Amino acid sequence: MKAEPASKHSSPDWELRDRVIGRCYIMLDDFRLRIFKTLAREGSFTKAASKLQISQPAVSQNIAELEKMLSQTLFERQRGAVLLTKEGEIFMKYADKILESYEEADSAFTAIAPTTVSIAASEELYSYIIAPALQD
């Protein structure tokens, strides 16, 4: 019988940290946060889906996953409408900060990264259309 390797973080402090912070290992991508914000603003799954140009089930699924990951109910569902719960209002503040941080990071990377565009074209297309357009 092979012995199981000890966890690299086996102290009680790390175990507590993993219990408390473990929930934070969640997928808070900007798209999911934008779905959350749009649903809060629009007050309807259907309207949010239309605004985001995705299906209503996709909005519902993303919100359900977000609520499950956070172990919080973010919206109060009423007939034909949704409202932020107290927890949803708290999360909104963090969603705003996270999205702002994403945008700042994107701007910082864009500022330092040169943009390269590769164009494949026939010699004629390049000579008569692309080259003159690039000179303007």
PDB file of all heavy atoms in Angstrom, residues 72-104:
ATOM      1  N   GLN A  72     -24.278  32.289  -2.682  1.00  0.00           N
ATOM      2  CA  GLN A  72     -25.152  33.419  -2.355  1.00  0.00           C
ATOM      3  C   GLN A  72     -26.251  33.535  -3.399  1.00  0.00           C
ATOM      4  O   GLN A  72     -26.023  33.271  -4.577  1.00  0.00           O
ATOM      5  CB  GLN A  72     -24.374  34.748  -2.341  1.00  0.00           C
ATOM      6  CG  GLN A  72     -23.230  34.819  -1.366  1.00  0.00           C
ATOM      7  CD  GLN A  72     -23.688  34.797   0.074  1.00  0.00           C
ATOM      8  OE1 GLN A  72     -24.746  35.313   0.411  1.00  0.00           O
ATOM      9  NE2 GLN A  72     -22.889  34.178   0.927  1.00  0.00           N
ATOM     10  N   THR A  73     -27.421  33.956  -2.969  1.00  0.00           N
ATOM     11  CA  THR A  73     -28.487  34.283  -3.909  1.00  0.00           C
ATOM     12  C   THR A  73     -28.334  35.756  -4.253  1.00  0.00           C
ATOM     13  O   THR A  73     -28.431  36.619  -3.382  1.00  0.00           O
ATOM     14  CB  THR A  73     -29.872  34.016  -3.276  1.00  0.00           C
ATOM     15  OG1 THR A  73     -29.935  32.638  -2.912  1.00  0.00           O
ATOM     16  CG2 THR A  73     -30.990  34.341  -4.257  1.00  0.00           C
ATOM     17  N   LEU A  74     -28.044  36.041  -5.508  1.00  0.00           N
ATOM     18  CA  LEU A  74     -27.766  37.412  -5.934  1.00  0.00           C
ATOM     19  C   LEU A  74     -29.010  38.140  -6.415  1.00  0.00           C
ATOM     20  O   LEU A  74     -29.046  39.365  -6.401  1.00  0.00           O
ATOM     21  CB  LEU A  74     -26.704  37.406  -7.039  1.00  0.00           C
ATOM     22  CG  LEU A  74     -25.370  36.757  -6.657  1.00  0.00           C
ATOM     23  CD1 LEU A  74     -24.462  36.666  -7.872  1.00  0.00           C
ATOM     24  CD2 LEU A  74     -24.706  37.516  -5.521  1.00  0.00           C
ATOM     25  N   PHE A  75     -30.019  37.378  -6.853  1.00  0.00           N
ATOM     26  CA  PHE A  75     -31.232  37.981  -7.390  1.00  0.00           C
ATOM     27  C   PHE A  75     -32.463  37.382  -6.733  1.00  0.00           C
ATOM     28  O   PHE A  75     -32.516  36.181  -6.475  1.00  0.00           O
ATOM     29  CB  PHE A  75     -31.330  37.765  -8.911  1.00  0.00           C
ATOM     30  CG  PHE A  75     -30.303  38.517  -9.691  1.00  0.00           C
ATOM     31  CD1 PHE A  75     -29.122  37.915 -10.076  1.00  0.00           C
ATOM     32  CD2 PHE A  75     -30.519  39.840 -10.040  1.00  0.00           C
ATOM     33  CE1 PHE A  75     -28.169  38.605 -10.796  1.00  0.00           C
ATOM     34  CE2 PHE A  75     -29.569  40.550 -10.766  1.00  0.00           C
ATOM     35  CZ  PHE A  75     -28.393  39.931 -11.140  1.00  0.00           C
ATOM     36  N   GLU A  76     -33.441  38.228  -6.498  1.00  0.00           N
ATOM     37  CA  GLU A  76     -34.754  37.788  -6.063  1.00  0.00           C
ATOM     38  C   GLU A  76     -35.590  37.682  -7.329  1.00  0.00           C
ATOM     39  O   GLU A  76     -35.765  38.657  -8.059  1.00  0.00           O
ATOM     40  CB  GLU A  76     -35.362  38.808  -5.102  1.00  0.00           C
ATOM     41  CG  GLU A  76     -36.717  38.437  -4.587  1.00  0.00           C
ATOM     42  CD  GLU A  76     -37.278  39.508  -3.671  1.00  0.00           C
ATOM     43  OE1 GLU A  76     -36.513  40.189  -2.972  1.00  0.00           O
ATOM     44  OE2 GLU A  76     -38.507  39.666  -3.686  1.00  0.00           O
ATOM     45  N   ARG A  77     -36.056  36.483  -7.593  1.00  0.00           N
ATOM     46  CA  ARG A  77     -36.843  36.261  -8.799  1.00  0.00           C
ATOM     47  C   ARG A  77     -38.313  36.499  -8.490  1.00  0.00           C
ATOM     48  O   ARG A  77     -38.864  35.884  -7.589  1.00  0.00           O
ATOM     49  CB  ARG A  77     -36.655  34.831  -9.310  1.00  0.00           C
ATOM     50  CG  ARG A  77     -35.352  34.641 -10.071  1.00  0.00           C
ATOM     51  CD  ARG A  77     -34.388  33.835  -9.235  1.00  0.00           C
ATOM     52  NE  ARG A  77     -33.219  33.421 -10.026  1.00  0.00           N
ATOM     53  CZ  ARG A  77     -31.996  33.587  -9.606  1.00  0.00           C
ATOM     54  NH1 ARG A  77     -31.751  34.151  -8.433  1.00  0.00           N
ATOM     55  NH2 ARG A  77     -30.990  33.179 -10.342  1.00  0.00           N
ATOM     56  N   GLN A  78     -38.913  37.409  -9.223  1.00  0.00           N
ATOM     57  CA  GLN A  78     -40.346  37.681  -9.115  1.00  0.00           C
ATOM     58  C   GLN A  78     -40.956  37.420 -10.477  1.00  0.00           C
ATOM     59  O   GLN A  78     -40.246  37.332 -11.476  1.00  0.00           O
ATOM     60  CB  GLN A  78     -40.593  39.134  -8.697  1.00  0.00           C
ATOM     61  CG  GLN A  78     -40.006  39.472  -7.349  1.00  0.00           C
ATOM     62  CD  GLN A  78     -40.198  40.941  -6.996  1.00  0.00           C
ATOM     63  OE1 GLN A  78     -40.545  41.749  -7.833  1.00  0.00           O
ATOM     64  NE2 GLN A  78     -39.957  41.257  -5.741  1.00  0.00           N
ATOM     65  N   ARG A  79     -42.222  37.320 -10.535  1.00  0.00           N
ATOM     66  CA  ARG A  79     -42.895  37.049 -11.804  1.00  0.00           C
ATOM     67  C   ARG A  79     -42.549  38.138 -12.831  1.00  0.00           C
ATOM     68  O   ARG A  79     -42.956  39.278 -12.699  1.00  0.00           O
ATOM     69  CB  ARG A  79     -44.401  36.990 -11.585  1.00  0.00           C
ATOM     70  CG  ARG A  79     -45.151  36.503 -12.784  1.00  0.00           C
ATOM     71  CD  ARG A  79     -46.583  36.147 -12.412  1.00  0.00           C
ATOM     72  NE  ARG A  79     -47.248  35.481 -13.497  1.00  0.00           N
ATOM     73  CZ  ARG A  79     -47.241  34.171 -13.684  1.00  0.00           C
ATOM     74  NH1 ARG A  79     -46.592  33.416 -12.847  1.00  0.00           N
ATOM     75  NH2 ARG A  79     -47.868  33.639 -14.703  1.00  0.00           N
ATOM     76  N   GLY A  80     -41.764  37.763 -13.832  1.00  0.00           N
ATOM     77  CA  GLY A  80     -41.415  38.683 -14.913  1.00  0.00           C
ATOM     78  C   GLY A  80     -40.326  39.683 -14.581  1.00  0.00           C
ATOM     79  O   GLY A  80     -40.008  40.526 -15.403  1.00  0.00           O
ATOM     80  N   ALA A  81     -39.743  39.606 -13.392  1.00  0.00           N
ATOM     81  CA  ALA A  81     -38.704  40.576 -13.032  1.00  0.00           C
ATOM     82  C   ALA A  81     -37.713  39.945 -12.049  1.00  0.00           C
ATOM     83  O   ALA A  81     -38.024  38.976 -11.373  1.00  0.00           O
ATOM     84  CB  ALA A  81     -39.330  41.816 -12.411  1.00  0.00           C
ATOM     85  N   VAL A  82     -36.536  40.516 -12.007  1.00  0.00           N
ATOM     86  CA  VAL A  82     -35.541  40.120 -11.017  1.00  0.00           C
ATOM     87  C   VAL A  82     -34.995  41.378 -10.353  1.00  0.00           C
ATOM     88  O   VAL A  82     -34.844  42.418 -10.998  1.00  0.00           O
ATOM     89  CB  VAL A  82     -34.381  39.297 -11.633  1.00  0.00           C
ATOM     90  CG1 VAL A  82     -34.843  37.935 -12.084  1.00  0.00           C
ATOM     91  CG2 VAL A  82     -33.709  40.035 -12.761  1.00  0.00           C
ATOM     92  N   LEU A  83     -34.718  41.271  -9.069  1.00  0.00           N
ATOM     93  CA  LEU A  83     -34.162  42.375  -8.293  1.00  0.00           C
ATOM     94  C   LEU A  83     -32.933  41.879  -7.561  1.00  0.00           C
ATOM     95  O   LEU A  83     -32.881  40.718  -7.141  1.00  0.00           O
ATOM     96  CB  LEU A  83     -35.180  42.891  -7.279  1.00  0.00           C
ATOM     97  CG  LEU A  83     -36.505  43.399  -7.819  1.00  0.00           C
ATOM     98  CD1 LEU A  83     -37.483  43.657  -6.668  1.00  0.00           C
ATOM     99  CD2 LEU A  83     -36.284  44.672  -8.614  1.00  0.00           C
ATOM    100  N   LEU A  84     -31.954  42.751  -7.392  1.00  0.00           N
ATOM    101  CA  LEU A  84     -30.775  42.377  -6.619  1.00  0.00           C
ATOM    102  C   LEU A  84     -31.155  42.153  -5.158  1.00  0.00           C
ATOM    103  O   LEU A  84     -31.914  42.927  -4.581  1.00  0.00           O
ATOM    104  CB  LEU A  84     -29.712  43.478  -6.676  1.00  0.00           C
ATOM    105  CG  LEU A  84     -28.860  43.572  -7.932  1.00  0.00           C
ATOM    106  CD1 LEU A  84     -27.987  44.813  -7.880  1.00  0.00           C
ATOM    107  CD2 LEU A  84     -28.019  42.333  -8.126  1.00  0.00           C
ATOM    108  N   THR A  85     -30.604  41.102  -4.581  1.00  0.00           N
ATOM    109  CA  THR A  85     -30.733  40.894  -3.137  1.00  0.00           C
ATOM    110  C   THR A  85     -29.683  41.772  -2.455  1.00  0.00           C
ATOM    111  O   THR A  85     -28.855  42.409  -3.130  1.00  0.00           O
ATOM    112  CB  THR A  85     -30.464  39.426  -2.771  1.00  0.00           C
ATOM    113  OG1 THR A  85     -29.121  39.094  -3.168  1.00  0.00           O
ATOM    114  CG2 THR A  85     -31.462  38.485  -3.427  1.00  0.00           C
ATOM    115  N   LYS A  86     -29.686  41.771  -1.138  1.00  0.00           N
ATOM    116  CA  LYS A  86     -28.665  42.512  -0.392  1.00  0.00           C
ATOM    117  C   LYS A  86     -27.272  41.999  -0.777  1.00  0.00           C
ATOM    118  O   LYS A  86     -26.350  42.779  -0.997  1.00  0.00           O
ATOM    119  CB  LYS A  86     -28.907  42.348   1.113  1.00  0.00           C
ATOM    120  CG  LYS A  86     -27.983  43.130   1.989  1.00  0.00           C
ATOM    121  CD  LYS A  86     -28.427  43.012   3.441  1.00  0.00           C
ATOM    122  CE  LYS A  86     -27.267  42.593   4.291  1.00  0.00           C
ATOM    123  NZ  LYS A  86     -27.599  42.391   5.683  1.00  0.00           N
ATOM    124  N   GLU A  87     -27.158  40.670  -0.909  1.00  0.00           N
ATOM    125  CA  GLU A  87     -25.881  40.074  -1.305  1.00  0.00           C
ATOM    126  C   GLU A  87     -25.521  40.475  -2.732  1.00  0.00           C
ATOM    127  O   GLU A  87     -24.351  40.703  -3.036  1.00  0.00           O
ATOM    128  CB  GLU A  87     -25.953  38.541  -1.191  1.00  0.00           C
ATOM    129  CG  GLU A  87     -26.121  38.032   0.218  1.00  0.00           C
ATOM    130  CD  GLU A  87     -27.564  38.068   0.747  1.00  0.00           C
ATOM    131  OE1 GLU A  87     -28.492  38.419  -0.014  1.00  0.00           O
ATOM    132  OE2 GLU A  87     -27.755  37.751   1.930  1.00  0.00           O
ATOM    133  N   GLY A  88     -26.519  40.575  -3.592  1.00  0.00           N
ATOM    134  CA  GLY A  88     -26.288  41.002  -4.967  1.00  0.00           C
ATOM    135  C   GLY A  88     -25.782  42.429  -5.040  1.00  0.00           C
ATOM    136  O   GLY A  88     -24.914  42.759  -5.855  1.00  0.00           O
ATOM    137  N   GLU A  89     -26.327  43.285  -4.183  1.00  0.00           N
ATOM    138  CA  GLU A  89     -25.863  44.680  -4.146  1.00  0.00           C
ATOM    139  C   GLU A  89     -24.414  44.751  -3.684  1.00  0.00           C
ATOM    140  O   GLU A  89     -23.619  45.542  -4.225  1.00  0.00           O
ATOM    141  CB  GLU A  89     -26.762  45.496  -3.226  1.00  0.00           C
ATOM    142  CG  GLU A  89     -28.157  45.713  -3.787  1.00  0.00           C
ATOM    143  CD  GLU A  89     -29.096  46.414  -2.819  1.00  0.00           C
ATOM    144  OE1 GLU A  89     -28.639  46.891  -1.760  1.00  0.00           O
ATOM    145  OE2 GLU A  89     -30.298  46.482  -3.126  1.00  0.00           O
ATOM    146  N   ILE A  90     -24.065  43.933  -2.710  1.00  0.00           N
ATOM    147  CA  ILE A  90     -22.668  43.895  -2.242  1.00  0.00           C
ATOM    148  C   ILE A  90     -21.762  43.408  -3.368  1.00  0.00           C
ATOM    149  O   ILE A  90     -20.714  43.993  -3.646  1.00  0.00           O
ATOM    150  CB  ILE A  90     -22.535  42.997  -0.996  1.00  0.00           C
ATOM    151  CG1 ILE A  90     -23.250  43.642   0.190  1.00  0.00           C
ATOM    152  CG2 ILE A  90     -21.071  42.705  -0.674  1.00  0.00           C
ATOM    153  CD1 ILE A  90     -23.436  42.733   1.395  1.00  0.00           C
ATOM    154  N   PHE A  91     -22.175  42.330  -4.031  1.00  0.00           N
ATOM    155  CA  PHE A  91     -21.357  41.771  -5.103  1.00  0.00           C
ATOM    156  C   PHE A  91     -21.212  42.746  -6.272  1.00  0.00           C
ATOM    157  O   PHE A  91     -20.170  42.775  -6.926  1.00  0.00           O
ATOM    158  CB  PHE A  91     -21.929  40.435  -5.586  1.00  0.00           C
ATOM    159  CG  PHE A  91     -21.061  39.766  -6.605  1.00  0.00           C
ATOM    160  CD1 PHE A  91     -19.810  39.278  -6.264  1.00  0.00           C
ATOM    161  CD2 PHE A  91     -21.479  39.646  -7.920  1.00  0.00           C
ATOM    162  CE1 PHE A  91     -18.989  38.675  -7.212  1.00  0.00           C
ATOM    163  CE2 PHE A  91     -20.677  39.049  -8.876  1.00  0.00           C
ATOM    164  CZ  PHE A  91     -19.426  38.562  -8.517  1.00  0.00           C
ATOM    165  N   MET A  92     -22.233  43.552  -6.521  1.00  0.00           N
ATOM    166  CA  MET A  92     -22.181  44.526  -7.611  1.00  0.00           C
ATOM    167  C   MET A  92     -20.983  45.460  -7.436  1.00  0.00           C
ATOM    168  O   MET A  92     -20.294  45.789  -8.408  1.00  0.00           O
ATOM    169  CB  MET A  92     -23.474  45.337  -7.679  1.00  0.00           C
ATOM    170  CG  MET A  92     -23.485  46.386  -8.786  1.00  0.00           C
ATOM    171  SD  MET A  92     -23.399  45.705 -10.445  1.00  0.00           S
ATOM    172  CE  MET A  92     -25.099  45.194 -10.642  1.00  0.00           C
ATOM    173  N   LYS A  93     -20.726  45.886  -6.212  1.00  0.00           N
ATOM    174  CA  LYS A  93     -19.579  46.781  -5.961  1.00  0.00           C
ATOM    175  C   LYS A  93     -18.269  46.110  -6.365  1.00  0.00           C
ATOM    176  O   LYS A  93     -17.400  46.730  -6.970  1.00  0.00           O
ATOM    177  CB  LYS A  93     -19.541  47.176  -4.490  1.00  0.00           C
ATOM    178  CG  LYS A  93     -20.717  48.020  -4.059  1.00  0.00           C
ATOM    179  CD  LYS A  93     -20.704  48.256  -2.567  1.00  0.00           C
ATOM    180  CE  LYS A  93     -21.998  48.913  -2.129  1.00  0.00           C
ATOM    181  NZ  LYS A  93     -22.102  49.011  -0.675  1.00  0.00           N
ATOM    182  N   TYR A  94     -18.152  44.817  -6.039  1.00  0.00           N
ATOM    183  CA  TYR A  94     -16.941  44.089  -6.387  1.00  0.00           C
ATOM    184  C   TYR A  94     -16.876  43.803  -7.886  1.00  0.00           C
ATOM    185  O   TYR A  94     -15.798  43.866  -8.478  1.00  0.00           O
ATOM    186  CB  TYR A  94     -16.839  42.795  -5.572  1.00  0.00           C
ATOM    187  CG  TYR A  94     -16.571  43.088  -4.119  1.00  0.00           C
ATOM    188  CD1 TYR A  94     -17.611  43.104  -3.201  1.00  0.00           C
ATOM    189  CD2 TYR A  94     -15.288  43.383  -3.675  1.00  0.00           C
ATOM    190  CE1 TYR A  94     -17.375  43.398  -1.868  1.00  0.00           C
ATOM    191  CE2 TYR A  94     -15.036  43.682  -2.345  1.00  0.00           C
ATOM    192  CZ  TYR A  94     -16.092  43.688  -1.448  1.00  0.00           C
ATOM    193  OH  TYR A  94     -15.836  43.988  -0.132  1.00  0.00           O
ATOM    194  N   ALA A  95     -18.001  43.507  -8.488  1.00  0.00           N
ATOM    195  CA  ALA A  95     -18.034  43.269  -9.936  1.00  0.00           C
ATOM    196  C   ALA A  95     -17.552  44.517 -10.672  1.00  0.00           C
ATOM    197  O   ALA A  95     -16.776  44.417 -11.629  1.00  0.00           O
ATOM    198  CB  ALA A  95     -19.441  42.884 -10.381  1.00  0.00           C
ATOM    199  N   ASP A  96     -18.009  45.689 -10.217  1.00  0.00           N
ATOM    200  CA  ASP A  96     -17.568  46.941 -10.837  1.00  0.00           C
ATOM    201  C   ASP A  96     -16.046  47.097 -10.716  1.00  0.00           C
ATOM    202  O   ASP A  96     -15.370  47.453 -11.684  1.00  0.00           O
ATOM    203  CB  ASP A  96     -18.260  48.139 -10.191  1.00  0.00           C
ATOM    204  CG  ASP A  96     -19.720  48.266 -10.570  1.00  0.00           C
ATOM    205  OD1 ASP A  96     -20.110  47.742 -11.635  1.00  0.00           O
ATOM    206  OD2 ASP A  96     -20.480  48.884  -9.795  1.00  0.00           O
ATOM    207  N   LYS A  97     -15.511  46.816  -9.532  1.00  0.00           N
ATOM    208  CA  LYS A  97     -14.064  46.948  -9.308  1.00  0.00           C
ATOM    209  C   LYS A  97     -13.276  45.950 -10.152  1.00  0.00           C
ATOM    210  O   LYS A  97     -12.239  46.290 -10.719  1.00  0.00           O
ATOM    211  CB  LYS A  97     -13.735  46.741  -7.831  1.00  0.00           C
ATOM    212  CG  LYS A  97     -14.188  47.865  -6.938  1.00  0.00           C
ATOM    213  CD  LYS A  97     -13.878  47.565  -5.485  1.00  0.00           C
ATOM    214  CE  LYS A  97     -14.428  48.645  -4.575  1.00  0.00           C
ATOM    215  NZ  LYS A  97     -14.150  48.371  -3.156  1.00  0.00           N
ATOM    216  N   ILE A  98     -13.779  44.724 -10.233  1.00  0.00           N
ATOM    217  CA  ILE A  98     -13.089  43.692 -11.012  1.00  0.00           C
ATOM    218  C   ILE A  98     -13.076  44.066 -12.487  1.00  0.00           C
ATOM    219  O   ILE A  98     -12.032  43.994 -13.151  1.00  0.00           O
ATOM    220  CB  ILE A  98     -13.749  42.320 -10.796  1.00  0.00           C
ATOM    221  CG1 ILE A  98     -13.522  41.852  -9.358  1.00  0.00           C
ATOM    222  CG2 ILE A  98     -13.214  41.290 -11.793  1.00  0.00           C
ATOM    223  CD1 ILE A  98     -14.387  40.674  -8.944  1.00  0.00           C
ATOM    224  N   LEU A  99     -14.217  44.485 -13.014  1.00  0.00           N
ATOM    225  CA  LEU A  99     -14.277  44.876 -14.426  1.00  0.00           C
ATOM    226  C   LEU A  99     -13.392  46.085 -14.702  1.00  0.00           C
ATOM    227  O   LEU A  99     -12.734  46.159 -15.746  1.00  0.00           O
ATOM    228  CB  LEU A  99     -15.720  45.149 -14.851  1.00  0.00           C
ATOM    229  CG  LEU A  99     -16.576  43.898 -15.024  1.00  0.00           C
ATOM    230  CD1 LEU A  99     -18.040  44.279 -15.210  1.00  0.00           C
ATOM    231  CD2 LEU A  99     -16.087  43.060 -16.193  1.00  0.00           C
ATOM    232  N   GLU A 100     -13.364  47.017 -13.774  1.00  0.00           N
ATOM    233  CA  GLU A 100     -12.492  48.186 -13.930  1.00  0.00           C
ATOM    234  C   GLU A 100     -11.030  47.748 -13.969  1.00  0.00           C
ATOM    235  O   GLU A 100     -10.246  48.235 -14.782  1.00  0.00           O
ATOM    236  CB  GLU A 100     -12.730  49.164 -12.776  1.00  0.00           C
ATOM    237  CG  GLU A 100     -11.958  50.456 -12.907  1.00  0.00           C
ATOM    238  CD  GLU A 100     -12.263  51.418 -11.763  1.00  0.00           C
ATOM    239  OE1 GLU A 100     -13.447  51.599 -11.444  1.00  0.00           O
ATOM    240  OE2 GLU A 100     -11.296  51.959 -11.197  1.00  0.00           O
ATOM    241  N   SER A 101     -10.668  46.789 -13.116  1.00  0.00           N
ATOM    242  CA  SER A 101      -9.297  46.274 -13.108  1.00  0.00           C
ATOM    243  C   SER A 101      -8.962  45.566 -14.410  1.00  0.00           C
ATOM    244  O   SER A 101      -7.863  45.716 -14.942  1.00  0.00           O
ATOM    245  CB  SER A 101      -9.088  45.316 -11.932  1.00  0.00           C
ATOM    246  OG  SER A 101      -9.203  46.001 -10.714  1.00  0.00           O
ATOM    247  N   TYR A 102      -9.907  44.774 -14.943  1.00  0.00           N
ATOM    248  CA  TYR A 102      -9.696  44.118 -16.236  1.00  0.00           C
ATOM    249  C   TYR A 102      -9.432  45.157 -17.312  1.00  0.00           C
ATOM    250  O   TYR A 102      -8.531  45.003 -18.137  1.00  0.00           O
ATOM    251  CB  TYR A 102     -10.928  43.313 -16.648  1.00  0.00           C
ATOM    252  CG  TYR A 102     -11.103  41.959 -15.985  1.00  0.00           C
ATOM    253  CD1 TYR A 102     -12.345  41.340 -15.998  1.00  0.00           C
ATOM    254  CD2 TYR A 102     -10.055  41.291 -15.373  1.00  0.00           C
ATOM    255  CE1 TYR A 102     -12.530  40.094 -15.409  1.00  0.00           C
ATOM    256  CE2 TYR A 102     -10.239  40.056 -14.784  1.00  0.00           C
ATOM    257  CZ  TYR A 102     -11.467  39.452 -14.807  1.00  0.00           C
ATOM    258  OH  TYR A 102     -11.654  38.234 -14.239  1.00  0.00           O
ATOM    259  N   GLU A 103     -10.234  46.225 -17.324  1.00  0.00           N
ATOM    260  CA  GLU A 103     -10.090  47.261 -18.344  1.00  0.00           C
ATOM    261  C   GLU A 103      -8.758  47.991 -18.199  1.00  0.00           C
ATOM    262  O   GLU A 103      -8.103  48.299 -19.194  1.00  0.00           O
ATOM    263  CB  GLU A 103     -11.268  48.224 -18.280  1.00  0.00           C
ATOM    264  CG  GLU A 103     -12.564  47.585 -18.751  1.00  0.00           C
ATOM    265  CD  GLU A 103     -13.813  48.381 -18.403  1.00  0.00           C
ATOM    266  OE1 GLU A 103     -13.697  49.524 -17.919  1.00  0.00           O
ATOM    267  OE2 GLU A 103     -14.915  47.840 -18.621  1.00  0.00           O
ATOM    268  N   GLU A 104      -8.330  48.258 -16.969  1.00  0.00           N
ATOM    269  CA  GLU A 104      -7.043  48.913 -16.740  1.00  0.00           C
ATOM    270  C   GLU A 104      -5.896  48.030 -17.216  1.00  0.00           C
ATOM    271  O   GLU A 104      -4.959  48.508 -17.847  1.00  0.00           O
ATOM    272  CB  GLU A 104      -6.868  49.251 -15.261  1.00  0.00           C
ATOM    273  CG  GLU A 104      -7.729  50.392 -14.783  1.00  0.00           C
ATOM    274  CD  GLU A 104      -7.620  50.624 -13.280  1.00  0.00           C
ATOM    275  OE1 GLU A 104      -6.777  49.984 -12.612  1.00  0.00           O
ATOM    276  OE2 GLU A 104      -8.400  51.446 -12.774  1.00  0.00           O
TER     277      GLU A 104
END
